[in-house]
């Protein structure tokens, strides 16, 4: 598809690199000095913030923050220079100039003391995105046209919110900034950006359009760059991709707003939704099938059931309220055995009716009440079949059964409206509990907070949905931290995987070089041992540090060739030539031994062993086998997911193309060879092997696989593209599948 500038379909295109350089110049002229202008307004704001504090430690806090600000002022020139470098680096990333040097990316973990700084940067990026969304959307399409002309995949806007947040975070990354001062720094930087970005973005959009890169189409939704694990997609310092849960929550709130209850407000009022009507029709067919089977199992000739009075919704709600605060062990036991919860709910409601003076043999539930019971039972069963929930979580959910029965009776919008307060609380509790083994203080705190949320609902819910909103807000505040930890966990998994791939790739390259030297001519044992140990290790280290195209690697290869030649000289008995050759090689050999971690004394000893092996012309010389293949570090992981070992993979070409098109941030459902299903997100695509790193909802590594391997899983029916972003939606899908299967069986 050709992309023409808006307002000028036939305007000639300027060479894209010239356009990028002009944008870079504009950006640096407009934004390059921002860090230097922050300190005075920050100091004024700092004084105002402390003046209103009557606490006895206010002067001490002011002194500490002023001292930290004074230190920042002393580093003013460094900050401006570093910030300008970071802004310029965004353009290098756009042009993929740094891809070949990605080996210099730090593979370590982010220091815990810096996490809040990075998280503040994420919030800053989101605020800029919100304030300038229209201009950024236009710019995204036009920059996509520039990338297309350069033959590049979609890349990050070099002056977008992500990049500008990254630049600021990296500028102060090495500084010790107290929390109050950090807040003021980011606030002032945001104000400074807001004052400049409107005009800058307008100029850049005009420049792109006038240069022939006006884009009439929007950039494809979800398009993300394929890149090594540098950090985040939100901004380089923290992690590449938004977690699916947090992104979904932002989009849902933006598109749907807050929950609006049924207008009637009357008990039992249900939304006139086609989706809910369809769900209830499926439920009725499923329940009728079960009743028919039960009647057939009971045999013919049974007396008809006498007519019973149907309970009103208000009566069932009263019974549920009576039982709500009582121990929920019966529901916990029912959740341990799928399919028993609905019967347990009916038994408990009948028992509660008896305690209120209603004879269970003379009353029955209405169709709406039966629907509410079955829907809640199927919902909770589906949650437990979809997530890894521990025994403690089962008791937590059991407490929520009766409150959710009351919600289902009075507001069935819960089943079709994603912003419903009860629904959002269940999502939050499941997010806190799924896969949580309480192994860390953070995990234990999450479980405690989730338990407190459920207990609060039990204690205070009386048909006012506000309690669900309050409980959700309290739990979600902690979940925000959990989501950030998950993002960091996924980044660490990506960095570890990238580091391992780089090491394996370097070993394979070094082994290829080594094989060509030891295969011919015949070599003495001393030379072959040296080449296969110290020299091979030196090759690997040089490849990792300098790269294949570096002068250092060429020199390392030349050392191996020189030793092979020295061995040939020794075999010919040319002692004088051998001595001269070894003297010339001595500094290079010592450096090679040093890269293996040998101290000078050990290096001298190893050199002596090598020389001793060369001084005898008649020493036996042989051809040598290539080094053994590297052991697959991922063998156990692959055995869990891939069947057939080294057998050829089988897949449909169209499925392969679909797998190859998957981008970071997309979710899949995987089923291992034991039949266990897990949700997995593509967190990263390797620039070396194009393999995909898949992590679970906790950010932990699940599988690293090629597009071909994913295609074979999909062909075998053990991979589904896409999964519901929330626990409630996933449970609803499982519920529908269960109803479909039930109707088919009956």
């Amino acid at each position: 598809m050709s992309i023409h500038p808006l307002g000028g379909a036939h305007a000639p295109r300027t060479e894209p690199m010239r356009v990028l350089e002009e944008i870079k110049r504009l950006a640096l002229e407009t934004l390059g000095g921002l860090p230097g202008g922050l300190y005075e307004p920050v100091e004024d704001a700092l004084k105002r913030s402390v003046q209103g504090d009557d606490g006895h430690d206010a002067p001490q806090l002011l002194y500490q923050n002023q001292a930290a600000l004074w230190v920042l002022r002393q580093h003013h020139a460094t900050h401006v220079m570093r910030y300008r470098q970071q802004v310029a680096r965004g353009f290098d990333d756009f042009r993929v100039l740094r891809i070949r040097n990605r080996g210099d990316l730090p593979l370590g973990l982010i220091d815990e003391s810096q996490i809040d700084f990075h998280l503040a940067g994420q919030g800053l990026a989101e605020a800029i995105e919100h304030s300038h969304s229209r201009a950024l959307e236009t710019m995204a399409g036009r920059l996509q046209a520039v990338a297309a002309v350069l033959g590049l995949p979609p890349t990050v806007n070099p002056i977008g919110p992500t990049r500008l947040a990254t630049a600021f975070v990296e500028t102060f990354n090495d500084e010790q900034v107290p929390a109050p001062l950090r807040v003021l720094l980011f606030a002032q930087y945001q104000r400074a950006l807001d004052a400049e970005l409107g005009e800058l973005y307008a100029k850049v959009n005009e420049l792109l359009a006038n240069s022939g890169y006006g884009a009439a189409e929007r950039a494809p939704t979800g398009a993300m760059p394929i890149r090594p694990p540098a950090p985040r997609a939100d901004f380089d310092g923290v992690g590449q991709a938004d977690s699916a849960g947090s992104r979904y929550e932002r989009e849902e709130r933006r598109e749907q707003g807050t929950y609006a209850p049924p207008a009637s407000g009357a008990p039992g009022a249900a939304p006139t939704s086609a989706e809910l009507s369809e769900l209830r029709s499926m439920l009725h067919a499923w329940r009728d099938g079960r009743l028919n089977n039960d009647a057939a199992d009971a045999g013919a000739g049974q007396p008809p059931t006498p007519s019973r009075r149907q309970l009103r919704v208000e009566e069932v709600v009263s019974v549920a309220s009576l039982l709500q605060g009582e121990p929920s062990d019966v529901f916990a036991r029912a959740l341990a055995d799928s399919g028993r919860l609905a019967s347990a709910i009916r038994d408990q409601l009948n028992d509660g009716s008896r305690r209120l003076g209603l004879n269970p043999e003379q009353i029955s539930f209405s169709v709406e009440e039966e629907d509410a019971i079955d829907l809640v039972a199927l919902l909770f069963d589906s949650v437990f079949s979809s997530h890894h929930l521990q025994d403690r979580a089962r008791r937590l959910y059991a407490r929520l059964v009766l409150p959710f029965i009351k919600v289902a009776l009075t507001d069935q919008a819960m089943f079709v409206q994603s912003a419903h307060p009860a629904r959002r609380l269940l999502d939050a509790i499941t997010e806190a509990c799924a896969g949580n083994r309480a192994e860390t203080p953070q995990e234990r705190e999450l479980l405690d907070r989730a338990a407190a949320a459920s207990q609060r609902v039990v204690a205070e819910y009386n048909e006012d949905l506000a309690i669900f909103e309050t409980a959700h807000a309290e739990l979600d505040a902690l979940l925000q931290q959990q989501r950030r930890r998950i993002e960091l966990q996924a980044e660490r998994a990506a960095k570890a995987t990238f580091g391992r791939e780089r090491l394996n790739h370097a070993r394979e390259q070094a082994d290829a070089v080594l094989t060509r030297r030891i295969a011919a001519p015949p070599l003495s044992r001393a030379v072959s041992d040296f080449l296969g140990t110290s020299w091979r290790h030196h090759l690997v280290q040089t490849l990792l540090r300098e790269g294949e195209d570096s002068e250092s690697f060429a020199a390392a290869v030349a050392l191996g060739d020189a030793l092979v030649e020295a061995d040939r000289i020794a075999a010919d008995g040319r002692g004088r030539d051998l001595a001269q050759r070894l003297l010339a090689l001595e500094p290079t050999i010592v450096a090679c031994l040093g890269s293996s971690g040998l101290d000078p004394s050990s290096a001298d000893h190893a050199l002596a062993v090598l020389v001793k092996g060369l001084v005898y012309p008649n020493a036996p010389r042989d051809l040598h086998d290539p080094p053994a293949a590297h052991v697959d570090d991922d063998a156990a992981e692959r055995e869990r997911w891939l069947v057939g070992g080294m057998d050829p993979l089988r897949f449909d070409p169209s499925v392969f193309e679909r797998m190859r098109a998957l981008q970071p941030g997309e979710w899949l459902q995987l089923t291992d060879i034991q039949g266990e299903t897990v949700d997995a997100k593509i967190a990263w695509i390797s620039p070396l092997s194009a393999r995909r790193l898949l992590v679970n909802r906790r950010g932990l590594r699940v599988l690293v696989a090629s597009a071909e391997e994913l295609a074979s899983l999909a062909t075998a029916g053990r991979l589904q593209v896409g999964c519901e972003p929330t626990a409630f939606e996933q449970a609803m899908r499982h519920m529908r599948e269960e109803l479909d299967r039930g109707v088919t069986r009956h």
Side-chain angles (χ1 to χ4, degrees):
M1 176 184 297
S2 61
I3 300 177
H4 302 291
L6 294 174
H10 303 289
R13 276 183 170 168
T14 305
E15 201 275 326
M17 298 297 282
R18 289 178 55 192
V19 176
L20 289 175
E21 283 299 319
E22 180 61 15
I23 296 175
K24 178 179 176 181
R25 183 190 65 79
L26 285 172
L28 290 175
E29 285 182 357
T30 305
L31 306 176
L34 285 187
L38 302 180
Y39 302 123
E40 184 172 345
V42 165
E43 183 172 17
D44 293 340
L46 186 63
K47 291 178 180 178
R48 290 194 301 271
S49 66
V50 177
Q51 287 173 353
D53 188 352
D54 296 329
H56 66 280
D57 58 345
Q60 179 68 19
L61 290 175
L62 176 60
Y63 172 79
Q64 292 173 352
N65 284 278
Q66 285 181 326
L69 183 60
W70 182 86
V71 173
L72 295 182
R73 285 180 180 272
Q74 304 310 304
H75 300 165
H76 159 76
T78 300
H79 293 159
V80 172
M81 179 184 67
R82 187 181 298 173
Y83 179 80
R84 292 176 65 89
Q85 290 173 342
Q86 287 293 328
V87 173
R89 180 175 293 180
F91 291 86
D92 291 345
D93 287 344
F94 184 94
R95 293 174 292 194
V96 202
L97 296 181
R98 298 172 63 229
I99 289 299
R100 298 179 67 180
N101 294 324
R102 283 294 186 179
D104 64 357
L105 289 171
L107 298 179
L109 304 181
I110 296 174
D111 187 75
E112 291 292 332
S113 65
Q114 296 294 325
I115 290 179
D116 287 339
F117 212 89
H118 290 295
L119 296 178
Q122 180 179 355
L124 170 66
E126 293 173 349
I128 299 172
E129 179 79 37
H130 178 75
S131 299
H132 302 276
S133 57
R134 187 179 299 275
L136 287 167
E137 182 179 11
T138 301
M139 196 185 306
R142 292 173 176 174
L143 288 174
Q144 181 185 341
V146 174
V149 172
L150 291 172
L152 302 175
T155 52
V156 172
N157 184 342
I159 53 172
T162 293
R163 186 64 246 172
L164 296 180
T166 298
F168 194 68
V169 168
E170 293 298 322
T171 297
F172 294 94
N173 195 41
D174 297 331
E175 302 286 357
Q176 298 297 319
V177 183
L181 182 57
R182 181 183 66 246
V183 172
L184 293 175
L185 273 173
F186 274 93
Q188 188 58 38
Y189 178 59
Q190 182 177 338
R191 294 190 189 96
L193 284 177
D194 283 336
E196 302 288 352
L197 286 183
E199 182 177 356
L200 174 62
Y201 285 167
K203 288 182 179 178
V204 171
N205 275 322
E206 182 179 4
L207 171 63
L208 287 167
N210 292 339
S211 300
Y213 297 96
E217 298 82 15
R218 289 183 58 181
T221 301
M224 297 182 66
I226 297 175
R227 57 178 62 196
R232 12 180 329 112
D234 274 352
F235 58 96
D236 286 352
V238 177
Q240 282 280 46
D242 261 352
S243 70
S246 60
R247 184 171 65 248
Y248 170 83
E249 181 180 52
R250 288 196 299 271
E251 292 173 354
E252 179 177 272
R253 289 176 181 175
R254 182 169 61 246
E255 294 173 4
Q256 299 183 7
T258 57
Y259 167 74
S264 66
T272 57
S273 164
E275 182 181 357
L276 181 56
S277 298
E278 179 189 4
L279 179 63
R280 293 182 65 175
S281 296
M282 295 172 62
L283 179 65
H284 295 166
W286 170 80
R287 192 161 60 225
D288 290 344
R290 295 189 63 180
L291 291 175
N292 291 337
N293 279 359
D294 293 343
D297 292 340
Q302 296 295 327
T305 302
S307 177
R308 297 181 177 184
R309 179 179 73 83
Q310 290 188 350
L311 289 171
R312 299 189 305 276
V313 168
E314 295 90 335
E315 292 175 311
V316 180
V317 170
S318 297
V319 173
S321 297
L322 171 68
L323 302 172
Q324 184 171 297
E326 297 186 357
S328 55
D329 295 347
V330 63
F331 298 139
R333 290 192 295 270
L335 282 171
D337 186 0
S338 180
R340 290 186 51 232
L341 183 57
S343 296
I345 294 172
R346 288 182 172 89
D347 290 343
Q348 287 297 99
L349 291 176
N350 282 327
D351 182 64
S353 300
R354 183 181 295 107
R355 288 157 60 181
L356 286 178
L358 300 173
N359 185 351
E361 297 181 357
Q362 298 176 357
I363 59 175
S364 65
F365 298 116
S366 67
V367 173
E368 291 77 10
E369 293 155 1
E370 294 280 3
D371 288 353
I373 293 170
D374 284 331
L375 287 174
V376 170
L378 288 168
L379 171 69
F380 276 69
D381 279 338
S382 296
V383 168
F384 271 80
S385 68
S386 307
H387 299 82
H388 302 290
L389 298 171
Q390 308 300 312
D391 287 339
R392 179 177 178 181
R394 184 178 295 114
R395 294 192 295 272
L396 187 156
Y397 281 84
R399 288 195 293 267
L400 293 172
V401 168
L402 288 175
F404 270 77
I405 288 290
K406 291 164 63 176
V407 174
L409 287 169
T410 58
D411 187 5
Q412 291 189 10
M414 174 178 66
F415 295 105
V416 293
Q417 293 189 6
S418 56
H420 193 283
R423 182 170 182 154
R424 293 178 64 195
L425 177 61
L426 189 67
D427 285 337
I429 288 177
T430 306
E431 185 179 349
C433 296
N436 190 336
R437 300 182 180 275
E439 295 174 344
T440 66
Q442 293 86 358
E443 289 182 335
R444 289 190 289 272
E445 183 182 8
L446 261 181
L447 285 177
D448 290 341
R449 190 72 64 87
S454 69
Q455 289 168 347
R456 181 162 190 173
V457 169
V458 169
E460 301 181 28
Y461 174 52
N462 188 22
E463 290 111 80
D464 184 358
L465 292 175
I467 188 59
F468 285 94
E469 295 178 336
T470 301
H472 171 266
E474 293 174 351
L475 178 58
D476 192 63
L478 188 60
L479 280 173
Q480 293 290 348
Q481 301 176 28
Q482 164 75 2
R483 293 172 191 131
R484 293 161 190 157
R485 285 193 292 268
I486 289 172
E487 290 173 359
L488 292 175
Q489 187 71 47
E491 292 163 29
R492 293 165 183 169
K495 291 176 182 177
T497 303
F498 186 45
R500 186 186 303 176
E501 282 203 351
R502 290 185 63 243
L503 176 59
N504 290 339
H505 184 63
R507 286 172 173 170
E508 291 172 358
Q509 290 178 285
D511 287 346
V513 173
L514 173 63
T515 299
R516 289 194 294 271
R517 271 70 185 175
I518 64 177
L523 295 176
S524 65
R525 173 59 60 183
V527 171
S528 65
D529 286 349
F530 184 88
L531 294 179
T533 54
S534 299
W535 184 63
R536 176 183 178 276
H537 181 79
H538 181 52
L539 291 177
V540 171
Q541 294 301 312
T542 305
L543 283 167
L544 290 173
R545 293 168 181 165
E546 306 292 339
E548 185 177 8
D549 298 330
S550 65
E551 294 182 0
S552 298
F553 182 68
V557 173
L559 171 61
D561 292 335
L563 287 174
V564 172
E565 177 64 18
D567 193 67
R568 187 184 65 80
I569 293 172
D572 292 343
R574 295 154 50 195
R576 183 182 299 276
D577 292 342
L578 176 63
Q580 293 176 348
R581 177 62 59 92
L582 292 177
L583 285 173
L585 291 176
E586 180 181 0
T588 309
I589 295 174
V590 172
C592 171
L593 293 168
S595 73
S596 301
L598 298 181
D599 57 32
S601 175
S602 299
D604 289 342
H605 175 73
L607 178 60
V609 171
L610 175 62
V611 172
K612 182 179 179 181
L614 288 172
V615 297
Y616 299 105
N618 296 325
R621 287 172 169 81
D622 299 302
L623 301 178
H624 299 275
D625 295 329
H630 179 63
V631 178
D632 186 2
D633 296 328
D634 303 331
E637 178 184 274
R638 293 169 62 83
E639 288 175 1
R640 178 184 176 189
W641 299 101
L642 302 173
V643 181
M646 299 302 294
D647 295 345
L649 297 172
R650 298 180 180 180
F651 51 83
D652 186 276
S654 63
V655 176
F656 166 72
E657 292 300 327
R658 177 71 180 93
M659 296 300 105
R660 191 168 63 173
L662 293 174
Q663 296 294 314
E666 296 195 56
W667 283 88
L668 312 170
Q669 280 194 323
L670 294 176
T671 303
D672 64 16
I673 58 176
Q674 280 80 35
E676 181 178 347
T677 299
V678 64
D679 296 340
K681 181 180 71 172
I682 296 180
W684 169 69
I685 300 178
S686 169
L688 293 177
S689 64
R691 295 197 304 166
R692 275 72 174 160
L693 168 66
L694 277 64
V695 299
N696 62 18
R697 291 192 183 273
R698 290 279 166 182
L700 300 176
R701 170 171 163 160
V702 173
L703 174 67
V704 176
S706 65
E708 292 87 351
E709 290 167 337
L710 294 180
S712 71
L713 285 171
T715 302
R718 295 196 290 114
L719 182 151
Q720 301 292 328
V721 176
C723 66
E724 290 73 10
T726 69
F728 201 105
E729 290 188 356
Q730 196 166 3
M732 290 296 293
R733 180 176 63 81
H734 285 182
M735 181 194 302
R736 289 176 176 275
E737 292 173 354
E738 175 65 23
L739 294 177
D740 278 338
R741 285 192 297 267
V743 172
T744 302
R745 286 195 302 265
H746 302 320

